[in-house]
Amino acid sequence: MDTKALADEKNLLHKINNVLPNSVYIFDFKQRNLVWMNDRVRELYGYTLEEIRAMGKEFYANTMHPHDIPVLLKGIQDAENLKDEIGRAHV
């Protein structure tokens, strides 16, 4: 893919992600923090990506219902287990 086509695709994905009514984000399971988020996350929570990163775990404690935190932690653990399973399958 040439540079212009790649830039066009990136621009299209950016536009799509920012018109979706839902939040879209990329979460780094190892660092336990956000890597990227669309504008909807900022609209919903009132924080920029940098502010969320700086808050670390406190962001989740401040914005999630206490009953949802175990669900988040289980999802993280499930993703880590899946990564381990995929790694073992390719050895």
Side-chain angles (χ1 to χ4, degrees), residues 14-48:
H14 179 76
K15 287 179 181 180
I16 290 169
N17 277 306
N18 286 316
V19 298
L20 292 173
N22 299 320
S23 58
V24 178
Y25 54 88
I26 299 172
F27 188 82
D28 181 332
F29 290 104
K30 187 179 274 188
Q31 297 295 323
R32 300 248 197 288
N33 220 334
L34 292 176
V35 174
W36 177 89
M37 65 183 203
N38 68 347
D39 290 342
R40 185 73 175 130
V41 175
R42 188 178 66 239
E43 292 168 11
L44 289 170
Y45 295 104
Y47 299 107
T48 66

Side-chain angles (χ1 to χ4, degrees), residues 29 32 57 64 68-80:
F29 290 104
R32 300 248 197 288
K57 294 177 185 177
M64 293 182 75
D68 292 335
I69 292 176
V71 175
L72 171 67
L73 295 174
K74 183 179 182 323
I76 291 170
Q77 186 62 53
D78 290 349
E80 288 175 344

